[in-house]
């Protein structure tokens, strides 16, 4: 079996996607979560990592620190883990252009909307306010432009009239927990790459709305 894919997960909160990725890195997947980095000391995802005996680090923003200064500290910690893949899983900081440019093609994110709809924050409330009938999640490569990287895989969920942010986000979470580990598996098997700002799976260019099996 080829070298195991070293996966580093960045979080800010609960870590349910982290948990899905930990659970997905079983014996059949050539990947291992080698570390978890949080920008919040109280992130429950750190507890999840401890339970799985995964090394953790915290990089907490300092007052009057520029985005670039924070990212330099973050980069120093990241390099200790020598990751093959960096997974943003609810990591709630916008990363500087210089930082992201160093990890093009090896950094992915899960975003709680059907990109390119609703880049940014508060996506569930925006979908409810717009009376959308469908919503979902997008796993994409990370580029400097926020939530604009090539989409790899999307999952759709229905939106009901009686939905609240809580009920809708829960439905989206369920789908994220299914698709994110699959994308990590594809990357670990070297089936998934980014080239010229496009995502490719098994050599086939992935469309704007992610991989769609025939
Ligand atoms: N350069 C990039 N950085 C990040 C990307 C990206 O695509 N390019 N993805 C985001 C993840 N994300 C949505 O999926 C996201 C995270 C955070 C924010 C944001 O506005 N953060 C604020 C602080 C918000 C808070 O503390 O609650 C900020 O950083 O000023 C938007 C989208 C990760 N980074
Ligand atoms: N814009 C970034 C963003 O909103 N990301 C979202 O944060 C949640 C983290 O949940 P988790 O901590 O339980 O994995 C996920 O739903 C993810 O899509």
């Amino acid at each position: 079996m080829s070298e195991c894919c070293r996966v580093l997960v960045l979080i800010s909160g609960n870590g349910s996607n982290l948990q899905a990725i930990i659970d997905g890195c079983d014996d059949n997947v050539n990947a291992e979560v080698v570390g978890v980095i949080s920008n919040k000391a109280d992130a429950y995802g750190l507890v999840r990592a401890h339970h799985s005996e995964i090394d953790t680090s915290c990089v907490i923003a300092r007052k009057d620190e520029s985005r670039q200064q924070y990212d330099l500290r973050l980069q120093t910690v990241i390099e200790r883990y020598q990751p093959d893949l960096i997974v943003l899983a609810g990591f709630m900081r916008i990363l500087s252009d210089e930082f992201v440019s160093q990890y093009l093609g090896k950094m992915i994110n899960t975003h709680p909307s059907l990109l390119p709809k609703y880049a940014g924050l508060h996506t569930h409330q925006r979908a409810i306010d717009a009376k959308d009938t469908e919503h979902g999640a997008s796993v994409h490569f990370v580029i400097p432009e926020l939530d604009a990287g090539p989409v790899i895989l999307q999952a759709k969920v229905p939106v009901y009239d009686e939905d609240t942010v809580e009920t809708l986000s829960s439905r989206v979470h369920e789908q994220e927990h299914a698709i994110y580990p699959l994308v990590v598996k594809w990357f670990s098997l070297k089936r998934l790459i980014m080239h010229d700002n496009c995502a490719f799976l098994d050599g086939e260019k992935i469309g704007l709305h992610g991989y769609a099996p025939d």
Side-chain angles (χ1 to χ4, degrees), residues 96-114:
S96 63
D97 292 6
E98 302 80 5
F99 178 90
V100 172
S101 300
Q102 299 176 84
Y103 298 110
L104 287 180
K106 60 184 290 188
M107 183 181 287
I108 59 176
N109 178 55
T110 181
H111 178 77
S113 81
L114 296 175

Side-chain angles (χ1 to χ4, degrees), residues 39-40 67 88 90-97 100 107 109-112 115 119-121 140-149:
N39 69 315
K40 300 291 182 185
R67 203 174 287 278
L88 306 185
F91 185 69
M92 298 305 288
R93 282 187 63 92
I94 297 173
L95 297 160
S96 63
D97 292 6
V100 172
M107 183 181 287
N109 178 55
T110 181
H111 178 77
L115 292 171
L121 297 175
H140 64 94
F141 281 108
V142 175
I143 66 172
E145 184 184 353
L146 186 63
D147 301 332

Side-chain angles (χ1 to χ4, degrees), residues 31-118:
E32 177 191 8
V33 178
V34 296
V36 174
I37 299 175
S38 176
N39 69 315
K40 300 291 182 185
D42 62 351
Y44 186 69
L46 294 169
V47 173
R48 296 176 188 272
H50 290 316
H51 288 163
S52 293
E53 298 178 341
I54 295 169
D55 188 78
T56 62
S57 300
C58 281
V59 183
I60 313 295
R62 296 169 180 161
K63 276 185 68 177
D64 308 327
E65 179 181 45
S66 73
R67 203 174 287 278
Q68 286 75 10
Q69 287 170 325
Y70 175 88
D71 287 358
L72 275 174
R73 291 197 297 119
L74 177 62
Q75 181 180 340
T76 301
V77 177
I78 285 175
E79 293 310 317
R80 291 182 204 149
Y81 292 98
Q82 291 291 297
D84 299 301
L85 177 64
I86 299 168
V87 173
L88 306 185
F91 185 69
M92 298 305 288
R93 282 187 63 92
I94 297 173
L95 297 160
S96 63
D97 292 6
E98 302 80 5
F99 178 90
V100 172
S101 300
Q102 299 176 84
Y103 298 110
L104 287 180
K106 60 184 290 188
M107 183 181 287
I108 59 176
N109 178 55
T110 181
H111 178 77
S113 81
L114 296 175
L115 292 171
K117 272 187 106 171
Y118 307 137

